[in-house]
């Protein structure tokens, strides 16, 4: 179940006792939607490197037209972990974050929600805390901050309040903001770059824009230095072109300030280095380098530059890149997830992984083949494939171990048939074929071991909907003449109910009429079904059969509904889910029988990403009980969440006595009194030694196996630190950390 590496943790964590106790504490969960874990693409986010805990911190950001929720993420190794503190700043973008070395906290100021903000927050790795300084800068976004560890000051410059950029300079002294009035100052600006250069003990300011909004924006390329007293403009012989929204940080290994990409009316893809005297052009060889508003930091523990996100002409890249002296390499995720698309075809289950093909986005029609691996998509590279298309349909045929694709629209309407064998696509030449079409639906007729096609539309003025029923047995298409049939339609959805041997059809469009009728195919004819309640009439929705619960699931469509509907063969009923994806249409769904989840991807909506519907087993971590104080107060045990496949699950000990040995125990809940009113809250099944650093911090990291059998298991963790002033008989104790393995 668990593995963890040296000094981040032992090689194997109790393969016997803890496994048994976890299984014994597995809990049944109801069904719900879950967004698959990913640090989604964003720009104008806040990023900082926590020097003492050795990890990058990211908070919120912009996914125009939406603001990212108030999410806190940390990069552990090469894995982004989402943390869920009880209190957090409001969702925002255009804020600034730096690590305050003296306070051992990440400092956040300002940003944009509905209006510009002026709040100041600290993050210590366990909780966000709103600070209440006597004086604060005015509300703003697009400002820049840098921390001067020698003077123990955080410098803030510029920003935008809605009336153009500002030119004020503030410093944070750990308690209050101090407004400064230097004799000379850079001109007003926003979205510039500001970093601290430790070799020259100066803050370096470069570039920016006169404003974020409005006409007549002036982009800048001037270089300034702040020494704590005065601003000094530098006059290098070479300098980068004008820009704002650049990624900028200091690389202490090369002793250079790094500027990457940016925007000056056109998105840039160049890279520049500042040595204190002059700027030098360098290379920036990553995928999609032409981006702006990306986040860049230097990760000291791994001696590497890390770049995340931003925005480019294709949207919001969901990638993280690192450079350790040599080439840039992609680290999280290691492969690009599918781009936003609508009208893709998807099928799977019945012993085969889900496969997705085609679709359309702003770049045109697509010809990509993707496979769902349970936690992420993998782009495949078959030697043969269908042409790019949108509006095709697919169905899985388990009898022949093939997935069938038909039709769609590419360069005109298509009438070709293709089969996927798990490794490659093959065209199937049939003597007879349905007419070219798009917006049709395919589903498996399991009792007859054949694929069924119904409806669709052909182009024309106006387009013409179809009401024909066809079957495909692997070599021949045959048109059927059922006694009854649904009305002509397109953009409907079908799903095969394997348990009852029926195919279910719902909705679609007949001209300007949106339909809300339900039909079932019994192997020989169609039957109109009635239900006391039903989903609203809709088009471009998606349906899939949940093989674990024996329900047909319907979601989304043109009505912008976020209700999940389920058909049991007799009635439609809303599913009792507590979470809903953003409404969308033109998406695709299929059932992942290995992980017992309905998988949904794509469509028209923002944000998108991959969602799964299945047993409600979200991984969780929460505190219980009370800790026991030592010389540094009550130590804190915090963690990310133990989700299946988490290669970098971390248990972090904070605010403990510096440079002190301790123990971290995992096991069942307990309640064992100690002297001084302290309580041991765990019956250990596994105990590991830790040693706190100079900041009173220690961490153990574990790899959680991607085994669905562990879903829902629970256990408890607690740490004790040797501390002569500890109330627990020479120990200070944390509260317990209650953990549940899940998705």
């Amino acid at each position: 179940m668990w593995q963890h590496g040296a000094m981040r943790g032992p090689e194997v964590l109790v393969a016997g006792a803890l496994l048994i106790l976890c299984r014994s504490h597995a809990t049944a969960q109801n069904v719900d939607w879950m967004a698959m874990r990913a640090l989604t693409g964003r720009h104008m986010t806040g990023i900082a490197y926590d020097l003492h805990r050795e990890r990058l911190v990211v908070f919120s950001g912009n996914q125009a037209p939406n603001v990212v929720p108030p999410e806190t993420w940390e990069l552990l190794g090469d894995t982004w972990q989402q943390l869920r503190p009880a209190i957090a700043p409001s969702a925002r973008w255009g804020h600034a974050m730096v690590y305050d070395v003296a306070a051992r906290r990440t400092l956040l100021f300002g940003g944009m929600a509905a209006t510009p903000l002026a709040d100041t927050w600290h993050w210590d790795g366990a909780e966000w805390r709103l600070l209440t300084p006597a004086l604060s800068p005015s509300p703003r976004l697009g400002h820049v901050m840098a921390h001067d560890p020698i003077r123990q000051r955080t410098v803030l410059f510029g920003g935008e309040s809605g009336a153009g950029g500002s030119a004020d300079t503030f410093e944070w002294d750990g308690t209050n903001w101090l407004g400064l009035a230097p004799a000379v100052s850079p001109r007003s600006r926003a979205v510039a770059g500001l970093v601290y250069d430790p070799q020259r003990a100066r803050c370096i300011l470069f570039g920016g824009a006169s404003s974020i909004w409005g006409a007549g924006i002036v982009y800048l390329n001037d270089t300034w230095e702040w020494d704590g007293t005065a601003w000094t403009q530098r006059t290098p012989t070479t300098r980068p072109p004008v820009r704002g929204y650049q990624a900028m940080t200091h690389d202490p290994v090369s002793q250079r300030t790094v500027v990457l990409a940016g925007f000056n009316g056109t998105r840039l893809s160049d890279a520049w280095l500042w040595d204190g005297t002059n700027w030098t052009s360098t290379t920036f060889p990553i995928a999609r380098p032409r981006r702006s508003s990306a986040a860049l930091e230097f990760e000291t523990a791994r001696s590497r530059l890390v770049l995340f996100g931003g925005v480019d002409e294709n949207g919001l890249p969901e990638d993280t890149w690192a450079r350790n002296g040599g080439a840039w390499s992609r680290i999280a995720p290691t492969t690009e997830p599918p781009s936003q698309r609508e009208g893709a075809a998807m099928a799977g289950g019945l012993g085969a992984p889900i496969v997705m093909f085609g679709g359309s986005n702003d770049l045109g029609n697509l010809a990509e083949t993707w496979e769902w691996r349970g936690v992420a998509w993998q782009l495949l590279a078959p030697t043969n494939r269908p042409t790019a298309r949108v509006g095709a349909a697919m169905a899985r045929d388990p009898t022949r171990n093939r997935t069938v694709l038909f039709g769609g629209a590419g360069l005109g309407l298509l009438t070709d048939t293709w089969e996927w064998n798990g490794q490659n696509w093959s065209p199937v030449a049939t003597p007879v074929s349905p007419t070219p079409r798009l917006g049709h639906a395919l589903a498996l007729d399991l009792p007859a071991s054949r694929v069924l096609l119904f409806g669709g539309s052909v182009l024309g003025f106006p387009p013409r909907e179809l009401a024909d029923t066809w079957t495909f047995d692997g070599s021949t298409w045959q048109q059927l003449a059922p006694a009854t049939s649904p009305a002509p339609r397109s953009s409907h959805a079908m799903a095969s109910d394997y348990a009852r041997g029926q195919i279910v059809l719902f909705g679609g469009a007949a001209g300007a009429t949106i339909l809300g009728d339900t039909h079932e195919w019994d192997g020989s004819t169609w039957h109109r079904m009635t239900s006391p309640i039903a989903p609203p009439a809709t088009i471009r929705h998606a349906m899939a059969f949940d093989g674990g619960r024996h329900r047909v699931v319907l979601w989304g469509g043109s009505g912008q509904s976020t209700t999940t509907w389920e058909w049991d063969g007799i009635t439609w009923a809303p599913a009792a889910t507590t979470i809903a994806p953003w409404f969308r249409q033109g998406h695709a769904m299929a059932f992942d029988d290995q992980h017992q989840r309905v998988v949904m991807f794509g469509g028209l909506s923002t944000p998108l990403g991959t969602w799964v519907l299945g047993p409600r087993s979200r991984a969780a971590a929460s505190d219980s009980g009370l800790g026991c104080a030592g010389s540094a107060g009550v130590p804190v045990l915090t963690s990310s969440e133990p989700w299946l496949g988490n290669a970098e699950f971390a248990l972090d000990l904070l605010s403990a006595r510096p440079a002190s040995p301790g123990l971290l125990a995992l096991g069942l809940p307990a309640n064992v009194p100690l002297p001084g009113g302290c309580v041991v809250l765990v019956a250990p099944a596994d105990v590991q030694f830790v040693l706190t650093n100079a900041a009173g911090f220690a961490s153990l990291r574990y790899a959680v196996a991607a085994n669905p059998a562990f879903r829902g298991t629970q256990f408890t963790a607690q740490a004790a630190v040797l501390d002569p002033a500890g109330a627990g008989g020479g120990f200070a104790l944390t509260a317990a950390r209650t953990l549940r393995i899940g998705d």
Side-chain angles (χ1 to χ4, degrees):
M1 177 174 60
W2 301 86
Q3 288 184 337
H4 42 155
M7 191 47 218
R8 301 190 313 171
E11 284 302 316
V12 177
L13 174 62
V14 71
L18 188 57
L19 174 58
I20 293 171
L21 77 88
C22 283
R23 281 183 169 169
S24 69
H25 281 70
T27 56
Q29 302 285 330
N30 295 324
V31 67
D32 213 340
W33 285 102
M34 293 172 287
M36 293 308 294
R37 292 176 181 273
L39 178 58
T40 54
R42 63 195 66 192
H43 66 111
M44 295 193 77
T45 186
I47 189 169
Y49 179 69
D50 185 323
L51 184 65
H52 292 99
R53 296 190 306 118
E54 299 181 344
R55 60 200 63 179
L56 288 172
V57 183
V58 163
F59 180 79
S60 201
N62 193 340
Q63 287 180 327
N66 302 301
V67 177
V68 176
E71 300 173 346
T72 303
W73 292 79
E74 293 189 340
L75 183 65
L76 279 71
D78 291 345
T79 304
W80 286 104
Q81 309 278 335
Q82 185 177 2
L83 305 179
R84 302 181 190 275
I87 298 172
S90 59
R92 66 191 63 203
W93 57 277
H95 48 295
M97 286 169 37
V98 296
Y99 185 66
D100 186 329
V101 176
R104 296 172 180 167
R105 303 286 190 273
T106 293
L107 180 73
L108 179 152
F109 178 80
M112 179 72 176
T115 59
L117 303 168
D119 47 350
T120 304
W121 292 79
H122 262 169
W123 167 252
D124 65 3
E127 63 180 6
W128 285 99
R129 184 164 66 93
L130 177 63
L131 307 181
T132 55
L135 175 68
S136 286
S138 59
R140 66 189 65 201
L141 71 155
H143 49 291
V144 287
M145 297 198 310
H147 182 70
D148 182 337
I150 305 301
R151 298 188 304 110
Q152 297 185 12
R153 295 287 190 271
T154 292
V155 181
L156 181 153
F157 182 80
E160 163 82 66
S161 63
S166 62
D168 44 4
T169 304
F170 285 82
E171 288 193 341
W172 172 258
D173 65 4
T175 304
N176 207 7
W177 287 103
L178 309 174
L180 306 180
V184 177
S185 177
R187 62 160 292 174
S188 60
R189 69 192 69 199
V191 295
L194 182 69
V195 300
Y196 180 73
D197 182 339
Q199 283 75 39
R200 284 165 279 278
R202 298 287 189 274
C203 288
I204 311 300
L205 175 77
F206 172 76
S210 60
S211 180
I212 294 176
W213 297 290
I217 296 175
V218 177
Y219 292 96
L220 307 168
N221 66 344
D222 47 347
T223 304
W224 292 77
E225 291 184 346
W226 172 256
D227 63 4
T229 304
W231 284 104
T232 302
Q233 185 171 8
R234 302 301 304 272
T235 55
T237 56
T238 303
R239 55 183 179 174
V242 296
R243 72 193 62 206
Y245 304 95
Q246 64 268 25
M248 182 167 158
T249 194
H250 185 76
D251 180 351
V253 176
S254 65
Q255 299 186 9
R256 300 290 189 272
T257 291
V258 182
V259 166
L260 300 178
F263 184 81
N264 60 7
T266 300
R267 287 193 177 91
L268 306 169
S269 60
D270 53 351
W272 292 80
L273 302 176
W274 170 255
D275 62 6
T277 303
N278 208 5
W279 288 99
T280 304
S281 177
T282 185
T283 58
F284 182 34
I286 70 167
R288 300 169 66 174
R290 194 176 300 278
R291 63 181 74 192
S292 56
S293 303
L296 179 68
E297 272 288 356
F298 187 82
E299 193 178 21
T300 305
R302 294 197 168 197
S303 191
R304 64 183 186 178
L305 291 166
V306 176
L307 176 92
F308 166 71
V311 61
D312 67 10
E313 60 271 18
N314 297 325
L316 302 171
E318 295 186 350
D319 52 358
T320 303
W321 293 78
R323 182 185 182 186
N324 189 345
W328 287 92
S329 61
R330 183 173 182 150
I331 60 171
T334 55
T335 59
E336 178 81 13
S339 59
Q340 179 173 324
R341 66 195 61 201
E342 60 169 323
M346 185 188 294
L350 296 172
I354 291 173
V355 63
M356 178 173 68
F357 181 82
S360 177
N361 61 20
D362 291 342
L363 300 179
N365 293 336
L366 305 169
E368 299 170 342
T369 303
W370 292 84
E371 186 176 273
W372 176 248
R373 299 290 176 85
V375 294
W377 291 96
Q378 178 68 46
L379 178 62
L380 305 181
T383 56
N384 200 20
R385 64 182 182 179
T387 56
R389 66 191 65 202
V390 64
M394 293 201 311
R396 169 78 178 152
D397 183 347
T399 304
R400 298 182 304 105
N401 196 25
R402 295 290 187 272
T403 297
V404 180
L405 179 148
F406 177 80
L411 297 175
L413 293 184
L414 301 168
T415 187
D416 49 349
T417 303
W418 290 77
E419 289 192 338
W420 172 255
N421 66 4
Q423 296 181 324
N424 205 8
W425 288 100
S426 300
V428 181
T430 60
V432 178
S433 180
T435 55
R437 67 190 67 197
L438 81 163
H440 50 292
L442 285 180
L444 172 67
D445 185 344
L446 185 60
S449 298
R450 58 188 182 179
V451 168
L452 186 90
L453 178 152
F454 180 81
S457 66
V458 296
L459 299 180
F461 299 98
R464 178 171 57 89
E465 285 77 31
L466 304 169
D468 47 350
T469 301
W470 293 76
T471 61
F472 178 71
D473 62 7
S475 59
T476 303
W477 283 100
Q478 179 183 2
Q479 185 172 4
L480 305 182
T484 59
S485 180
R489 68 193 63 207
S490 66
S491 300
H492 49 290
M494 296 197 315
S496 177
D497 183 332
Y498 311 140
R500 297 186 303 113
Q502 306 284 309
I503 293 175
V504 183
L505 179 153
F506 182 84
T513 302
I514 308 300
L515 304 170
D517 49 348
T518 303
H519 298 261
E520 285 197 343
W521 172 261
D522 65 2
S524 60
T525 193
W526 290 98
H527 299 274
R528 174 72 180 265
M529 310 300 290
T530 59
S531 174
I533 59 172
T538 190
I539 60 172
R540 308 189 74 219
H541 48 297
M543 299 198 320
F545 180 67
D546 185 329
R549 298 183 304 113
H550 292 180
R551 297 286 189 275
V552 170
V553 178
L554 182 152
W555 202 89
S558 58
Q560 300 188 355
S561 170
T562 57
T563 299
T564 303
W565 288 88
E566 295 184 340
W567 172 255
D568 63 4
I570 301 174
T571 61
W572 284 104
T577 59
T578 60
I579 300 170
W582 286 83
F583 65 82
R584 65 190 69 195
Q585 57 179 309
H587 50 293
M589 294 200 316
F591 184 66
D592 178 354
D593 52 7
Q594 180 182 357
H595 298 89
Q596 296 289 289
R597 297 285 190 269
V598 172
V599 178
M600 178 175 70
F601 181 81
L604 291 176
S605 177
T606 300
L608 284 166
T610 302
W611 287 75
V612 297
L613 177 71
R616 188 183 303 159
S617 57
R618 172 67 76 181
S622 59
D623 294 327
S624 60
L626 299 174
C628 195
S631 57
V634 178
V636 175
L637 184 65
T638 188
S639 71
S640 52
E641 295 173 339
W643 40 270
L644 294 168
N646 186 348
E648 297 282 355
F649 169 67
L651 281 166
D652 291 342
L653 176 62
L654 306 169
S655 304
R657 183 172 181 258
S660 299
L663 300 172
L664 196 156
L666 300 175
L668 288 169
N671 194 308
V672 180
L674 291 178
C678 301
V679 180
V680 174
L681 298 168
V682 59
D686 178 72
V687 179
Q688 300 298 326
F689 172 82
V690 295
L691 181 66
T692 62
N693 65 12
F697 171 77
S699 181
L700 286 176
R701 298 189 199 175
Y702 305 85
V704 184
N707 186 340
F710 302 129
R711 185 179 284 122
T713 58
Q714 297 187 69
F715 55 100
T716 299
Q718 188 178 23
V721 179
L722 186 64
D723 190 331
F731 282 89
L733 278 71
T734 68
R737 190 75 170 162
T738 300
L739 303 160
R740 184 178 71 238
I741 298 175
D743 298 287

